Every structure is written in C-alpha cells, then in structure tokens.
Amino acid sequence: MKLRHWIKLTIIFTLIFSTVISIKTPTTSAKEKYPLEYEIYPVPHKVSYHKGETKLNKPIRVIYDDTIDSVTRKKVKTILKQNGYPTPTVGKKPAADRINLLVGTKSSNGPVDQYASKHLKGKGVDFSKIDAYQLEIQDNTITILGKDTDASFYGVVTLDAILGQLKNKKVRNLSIQDFANTKIRGFIEGYYGIPWSNEDRMSLMRFGGKYKMTSYIFAPKDDPYHREKWDELYPAEKLSEIKEMAQVGNENKTRFVWTISPLGEVAKIAQSGGDPMLKLEENTKKMLAKFDQLYDVGVRQFGVLGDDVGSLPTDYVVSLMNSVHDWAKAKGDVYDILYCPASYNSGWAWNPSELNAYEKGFPKDIQIFWTGSTTCAPIEQSTIDTFKNKSNDGVERRDPLFWLNWPVNDVDMSRVFLGKGEMLKPGIKNLAGAVTNPMQEAEASKIALFAIADYSWNTKDFNAQKSWDDSFKYIEPNATKQLHTLAKHMSDANPNGLTLSESEDIKELLETITSKLNNGKSLKKVAPETINELKKIADAANGFLAKTKNKKLKTELTPFVKALRDMVLADIEFIRTELAIEAGNKAKIYKHFSKASILRKQSLNYDRPTLEGTLKTKPAKKRLQPFTDQLENKISSKVAKMLDIH
C-alpha cells in the first residue's frame, strides 16, 4: 500500500510540475518575441511600451494636417517604401480597414491635432520644448504630432528607425514623448586641408538627416567666395552647385548653412587706427546682395565668421549683424543667424568686452559660436558658465553655440580620430547647440557626427560608450566589428588636440611587456595573450579592407589601416624574436627579427593626401607607436649582441 501511495504521489507531482512548465513556456517565448526596446538614435527622452502589438499588414492611409510641409510628406513616402510597404493613400480621416498614419502639428486644429487630443494615451508632452514631438502606435493607428513641421519630421525619422527593426511587420504598441535639448545640431566644414567634395557634403547631410541634425555649416578655407572674394557674387556654375547642396540639405532638414568671412579688411583698418564705419554701408549692401543670391537658390540659414582676423571693431560688427537680422526677418523663412567672434574661447582668445558688446547689441536670435576653454576643448558645464557669466558687466550672456574642434585632424594629419564622444559631458545646461568640426576624411567623420547628433538631442541621457559602440553598424554595416576594433586604436588627438582614450583594452599587456623587457624578465607567460590581442587588430584590418562596401571610406582609411596592421604584425615578430633570444635559437632570432624589421619599416611608409601633397601616416600614437619604438629599440640591441651585428 505504501509503495502504491508513493507511486501515485510521484505521478501527481510529475503532472503538476509538467503543467507548471507548460504554463511558463508561453511567457518565455513572449519575452523573446519582442526586443526589450527598439534601438533609436538619437536616444529619445521617454519611451513607454504598452500591451499588445499592431500588425502592419493592411494598406496604409496617411492623414496630414495642412501645416505639414512637402519635405515631411516626402519623407513619409520614402521611409514606407524603403521598409517594404506599398505606396500609401492620402485621406482626410482614419479608415477602419486601413493602417492609419497620422502626421500633424500641435494646436493646428487639423484632423491629426483633433484626433490626438481625443485618443493619444501619452499625456504630458511639453510642446514648448525644442523640436518636441509625440509618436504613438495603438489600435491600428500610428500618430505623430509635432510642435511644428520640423518636429513632426523628426517623429517620422524615429518611426523609420522602428520600422527597420520589425519582424513580420509587427510593431509593439508604444508612446514616445521626445524633444531636443539644443536648437542647433550639426557639423561645420572648418578644418584646414583638402576640402570635401560636394558629394561628400551631400552624403553627410543625408546622414545627418537620419539622426535629427539641423545644420551643415559651409565654411571651407579654399572657397574664395567665402573669404577673399566675399563681396563678389558666385558665378553661375558655382551657384548651381550650391543650389544642389541646399536642396539636399532642405530635403533632409540638415540645412546647408552658408557662411561668409567679410571682416578681415575692416579689422585691419581698425587695428591701424582707421575708421571702419566708413565701409559699413557699402559692405552691408554687398553682403546682403550675396545673401539674396544664395537665398534665391534655396539657402535658408546664414552665418558671419569673425575668427582668425585679430581684434574686431565691435560697433561695426553690431551694426552689420543687425542689418543681417533685419534682412532675415523680412524674408520670413530664414533660420537663426550664426556668428563667430574673435573671442571664441576663454584661453588665448579671451576678450570679454567683445562678447559684452555683442550681448547688448545683437538680437537674441543670433547664435554665437564658442570653442570652450581653448581651441580644442570638451563641452562641459564650466566652460558654458564662463561664456555666460565671466566678466559680463552684470548682463548674463545668451547660451553659446559650441564649435567642437573634434575629430578635426589638421592638428596632426598623420592620424585619424575615430574614438568615442567622451568629451561630450552629459547633463549640460544652457547650451544653444553643438556642431562638430570633422576631419578631411568625410566618411570616417560620420563616427563623430553620430555622437554629436545623439548628444545634442539628448544631453541628459547621453552615454558616450554605448553610443559609440552602437554607431558602427549604422556607419559600416558590412564590416562593423572590424571598424570598431580599429577605432579603439585610432582615437587620441593629443598633443594639440583633445586627450582621449586609446588602446585601453590592451594597455596593461603593453605595459607588462615593456616592464619585463626593461627589467630583463621573461616574456613567456605574457607573450601568448599579447600576440593574440595584436593579431586581433591585424585581422580586423584585413577584414575591414576585404568586407567594406563603402569605397570612399575604404579609400580614406586604407593608408591608416595598413600602417596600423603592419605595425602590430611587426610587434608580434619582435615579441617572437625575444622568445627566440630567451631560447638561444639564433635561426629563429634571425627569422623573426628580419620579418619584424621589414614590417616596421613598411608601417611607416604609407602616404595620405594633403593640400601640400602627401604625408606619411602614423596612427595609434598614444600607446602602440611608443610601444613599438621601445620594443624595436630594446630587441634590436639584443639581436645585435646575439648575432654579433655591428
């Protein structure tokens, strides 16, 4: 009886346990069915997921408020087509047998605005904030409501990011409440070097448009009509090129911002004791005539640069900029005017009286550039506070527009800088915007553009490491891991530029090898791991060159990648030489040292193009270059003794 009793209990227990398991299984699969969250860049301020999903398996009807511009409407069609959805119909109200996509603006009283006020779950969106929008997916309806048509465009961009991650056209029900922390988000072509091609510029504007950038600031040093011939109109051929670029910028809402540098002559007049005001009327007419020419081909934002010409006559500048402001207001659709002062940092260029004159004399919607504590400086709260408050005559200055001189490599053209945005400090307040000054290498600069787009949209939640880690798949989807690995060793811009992380993953190994060599200790224990890590870099180099389909990126990076590859391969052979020395094997000493010497020489013989011709590349200067130099010097002397080489 007892045996039967235990058998029955065992059967019952087994049935109960099996039932529990079967009940839990659907829960596990449900978790696997959806990602924890969609990956959206720049990172939104608030995303809330709701129960259930919406199946996008019906025809799509789009309803617009009249306030939505043609660019945003075109963007809607484009993202649907690119994500595999048929061309939508356009209607006046939602239909029960369709997937309804509503795109409108707050307080327009249009059909989308009215629908949103009745049906949207996500409440509390502060539409007074910069570029605020709300996106909600629920009940076969996708609703995007923006502060204005630009904000609605950014909502469409977010939708695009979500659609690209769907499986079987099923999307989680959700609400996104989002806005930007800064008004101006972009990049400036302000480096000294070979200018970008127009194709480069348009590629970057299209890229910026995917990540809610607002501005590409055109300030190339080689354009004579920007500086030397500032007072002359563009010839027809050049004007046609600008028209094409302005159109691409407008279509992606990463506007082509044309800037002019007209203050060199009047600065010299003032510095020599003359009266620059005698030139004001004539110069103002010439400059506005040029702005009119560019406005007529689609340019909708302008800037005036007063940097690098010495001290400026502030009365002249204030009068000039007020005329520009009045001209822009009369046009009605020109965005904020930008201005770069002579006093653009708090170090060697500091002149608070100039900034005070502009604060008092400029209209509030003129944005003033600032590079921080020096020319190449991080974005941090202390430097923002300095701009606003230091020696300000009791009048708090406007929020600065930060000109970030990173990853610009004119400080050392033998390198490229592909690192993370660790100089972008989160939690910043009182920042009007941030623009990055990139490298001569346009495609490679997209790594930095991604960081600045993410940061300037959401300064509060910016995570430099995660943003950087995630960026590579958007920049180089065919060689993501390889480019990421290479970037870890080509990032520091010191000296002259920013001091940044580089080769951090192998720092201890390199230091251990160096220490053991200097102290005459064996490398046997540390050599295998070090060789393995160095081989990963070489493999990443070969993998990138083989896999990338971005021909322009490949052309830009090839001399740097090959130089890095050959250097780490030389390091491997130098380490093997040392192991052979420890073993007393002269044949292997000769073999490995010969390979090492050839590879090291080869690593220093790759050319990159410059304005003056070419320059030898020398990447990874923070750790791998000095490590290689020490390795070579130490082992070369040992080899000379072992093989009796004089």
Side-chain angles (χ1 to χ4, degrees):
M1 292 296 292
K2 287 184 179 181
L3 178 61
R4 289 181 181 179
H5 176 72
W6 280 110
I7 291 172
K8 287 180 180 179
L9 286 176
T10 302
I11 293 170
I12 292 169
F13 177 78
T14 302
L15 289 171
I16 292 171
F17 183 74
S18 301
T19 305
V20 170
I21 293 296
S22 67
I23 290 171
K24 285 186 175 181
T25 301
T27 306
T28 304
S29 64
K31 286 183 179 179
E32 293 174 351
K33 192 174 183 180
Y34 301 116
L36 291 177
E37 61 179 32
Y38 295 117
E39 185 173 281
I40 302 168
Y41 279 101
V43 174
H45 283 265
K46 184 178 181 181
V47 181
S48 303
Y49 292 97
H50 309 309
K51 291 182 179 179
E53 63 186 14
T54 294
K55 298 179 181 179
L56 305 180
N57 56 357
K58 299 177 183 177
I60 297 175
R61 167 176 287 188
V62 185
I63 297 100
Y64 295 108
D65 285 344
D66 291 341
T67 48
I68 298 300
D69 64 11
S70 60
V71 171
T72 305
R73 295 177 188 228
K74 182 178 179 181
K75 185 68 174 178
V76 169
K77 290 182 180 179
T78 300
I79 70 161
L80 291 175
K81 182 178 180 180
Q82 290 177 343
N83 286 287
Y85 297 92
T87 302
T89 59
V90 177
K92 296 292 185 182
K93 59 182 180 179
D97 61 341
R98 303 290 176 97
I99 299 297
N100 297 291
L101 172 54
L102 286 68
V103 185
T105 59
K106 181 69 173 175
S107 303
S108 65
N109 202 33
V112 179
D113 182 38
Q114 292 181 27
Y115 177 91
S117 65
K118 295 178 181 178
H119 299 285
L120 290 198
K121 284 188 173 182
K123 304 297 181 183
V125 178
D126 185 354
F127 284 98
S128 69
K129 292 187 176 181
I130 300 167
D131 294 331
Y133 72 89
Q134 182 171 1
L135 188 159
E136 184 161 305
I137 301 175
Q138 191 81 20
D139 301 328
N140 290 334
T141 302
I142 303 170
T143 307
I144 298 171
L145 189 71
K147 176 180 182 177
D148 51 31
T149 188
D150 286 355
S152 297
F153 179 92
Y154 302 135
V156 175
V157 169
T158 297
L159 177 62
D160 185 26
I162 293 170
L163 294 179
Q165 299 174 63
L166 302 188
K167 294 181 178 179
N168 302 318
K169 296 186 176 181
K170 296 177 181 178
V171 59
R172 295 186 67 182
N173 294 330
L174 56 78
S175 297
I176 297 176
Q177 300 173 21
D178 204 9
F179 60 90
N181 284 123
T182 72
K183 190 173 186 180
I184 298 172
R185 311 175 294 275
F187 55 101
I188 181 166
E189 186 179 352
Y191 62 86
Y192 289 88
I194 298 172
W196 292 332
S197 67
N198 289 343
E199 288 71 25
D200 289 334
R201 292 160 178 154
M202 290 185 285
S203 173
L204 294 181
M205 284 188 282
R206 292 186 183 102
F207 182 80
K210 294 179 180 179
Y211 304 105
K212 304 182 177 76
M213 281 190 160
T214 63
S215 311
Y216 154 52
I217 301 167
F218 178 80
K221 307 299 183 183
D222 76 313
D223 182 356
Y225 296 95
H226 163 75
R227 189 179 291 261
E228 292 88 356
K229 296 182 179 181
W230 70 265
D231 56 348
E232 298 180 26
L233 298 178
Y234 275 101
E237 180 182 349
K238 291 293 183 183
L239 193 64
S240 177
E241 293 175 3
I242 289 178
K243 181 179 181 178
E244 182 182 12
M245 289 188 287
Q247 182 177 347
V248 170
N250 292 336
E251 287 177 352
N252 290 277
K253 291 197 183 286
T254 301
R255 294 180 295 277
F256 177 91
V257 183
W258 192 83
T259 68
I260 191 168
S261 185
L263 300 174
E265 180 190 12
V266 295
K268 288 180 181 178
I269 292 172
Q271 291 160 16
S272 62
D275 184 3
M277 298 302 285
L278 297 175
K279 300 285 291 183
L280 178 63
E281 183 177 357
E282 175 190 357
N283 286 353
T284 301
K285 286 181 180 179
K286 288 180 178 179
M287 193 172 77
L288 294 182
K290 196 158 189 174
F291 283 8
D292 274 323
Q293 182 194 38
L294 293 161
Y295 178 89
D296 289 342
V297 296
V299 179
R300 289 297 181 269
Q301 192 166 16
F302 298 83
V304 178
L305 306 183
D307 56 317
D308 301 337
V309 296
S311 61
L312 292 166
T314 55
D315 289 348
Y316 178 97
V317 173
V318 167
S319 296
L320 179 72
M321 295 304 294
N322 273 277
S323 295
V324 174
H325 173 268
D326 293 344
W327 171 87
K329 287 300 179 186
K331 292 295 184 185
D333 60 348
V334 172
Y335 290 80
D336 290 358
I337 302 298
L338 314 181
Y339 178 74
C340 184
S343 179
Y344 56 77
N345 68 60
S346 61
W348 61 268
W350 180 242
N351 179 7
S353 62
E354 180 192 7
L355 298 179
N356 293 341
Y358 298 154
E359 186 58 42
K360 293 173 183 176
F362 282 3
K364 293 297 182 184
D365 54 0
I366 291 179
Q367 307 294 341
I368 299 178
F369 281 115
W370 179 248
T371 68
S373 58
T374 187
T375 306
C376 299
I379 302 181
E380 52 192 356
Q381 194 62 53
S382 60
T383 192
I384 305 302
D385 295 341
T386 295
F387 178 88
K388 290 183 67 68
N389 300 313
K390 186 178 179 180
S391 305
N392 64 7
D393 286 347
V395 178
E396 186 180 65
R397 302 186 189 104
R398 68 199 65 202
D399 296 346
L401 170 56
F402 208 100
W403 176 324
L404 179 67
N405 279 311
W406 171 81
V408 60
N409 58 343
D410 57 16
V411 298
D412 184 354
M413 294 293 277
S414 69
R415 295 182 284 169
V416 286
F417 307 127
L418 311 179
K420 59 190 174 187
E422 61 191 276
M423 75 301 296
L424 306 172
K425 306 304 180 184
I428 292 291
K429 297 179 180 179
N430 305 121
L431 184 65
V435 297
T436 174
N437 187 14
M439 300 180 287
Q440 179 177 293
E441 290 72 28
E443 288 296 311
S445 293
K446 286 179 178 178
I447 297 169
L449 264 65
F450 188 94
I452 204 74
D454 188 21
Y455 174 78
S456 56
W457 181 269
N458 187 345
T459 57
K460 179 183 177 183
D461 298 321
F462 179 70
N463 182 323
Q465 185 67 50
K466 188 176 189 309
S467 181
W468 185 62
D469 291 342
D470 288 341
S471 70
F472 292 95
K473 61 176 167 286
Y474 300 103
I475 295 158
E476 178 42 86
N478 299 297
T480 300
K481 291 182 180 179
Q482 291 81 5
L483 182 58
H484 191 187
T485 296
L486 297 171
K488 292 177 182 179
H489 307 287
M490 297 191 284
S491 54
D492 181 49
N494 188 54
N496 302 320
L498 290 161
T499 301
L500 303 170
S501 303
E502 186 174 282
S503 302
E504 301 300 324
D505 293 349
I506 60 172
K507 175 185 174 182
E508 290 186 10
L509 284 173
L510 301 183
E511 290 174 347
T512 301
I513 290 280
T514 302
S515 175
K516 286 183 178 297
L517 279 175
N518 290 337
N519 292 288
K521 295 182 179 180
S522 174
L523 300 187
K524 285 183 180 179
K525 289 185 177 180
V526 71
E529 184 182 359
T530 306
I531 289 172
N532 183 55
E533 290 299 321
L534 294 171
K535 190 174 183 300
K536 287 179 183 178
I537 300 171
D539 290 345
N542 289 327
F544 170 77
L545 295 173
K547 291 183 177 182
T548 181
K549 294 182 180 179
N550 185 330
K551 293 181 180 179
K552 186 69 168 59
L553 180 65
K554 183 176 182 179
T555 298
E556 291 174 356
L557 292 184
T558 290
F560 302 96
V561 170
K562 287 184 175 180
L564 178 62
R565 177 197 64 192
D566 291 353
M567 177 171 60
V568 297
L569 289 175
D571 291 337
I572 290 171
E573 295 302 324
F574 279 129
I575 292 170
R576 286 173 174 165
T577 302
E578 173 62 20
L579 294 176
I581 291 172
E582 291 181 22
N585 189 325
K586 289 188 176 182
K588 286 190 175 181
I589 293 171
Y590 181 80
K591 172 187 173 183
H592 292 303
F593 186 71
S594 296
K595 285 184 179 180
S597 299
I598 292 169
L599 285 164
R600 180 53 172 158
K601 184 178 180 180
Q602 190 171 291
S603 76
L604 298 170
N605 198 35
Y606 290 102
D607 292 323
R608 61 103 80 247
T610 68
L611 271 177
E612 294 76 23
T614 60
L615 180 72
K616 300 299 180 185
T617 62
K618 202 169 184 181
K621 280 188 178 179
K622 184 167 187 173
R623 291 207 166 86
L624 279 169
Q625 288 287 355
F627 170 77
T628 304
D629 289 339
Q630 292 178 57
L631 200 60
E632 181 179 20
N633 292 336
K634 203 75 178 176
I635 291 174
S636 294
S637 63
K638 287 188 176 184
V639 170
K641 291 178 182 179
M642 289 286 292
L643 300 182
D644 196 24
I645 300 172
H646 299 286

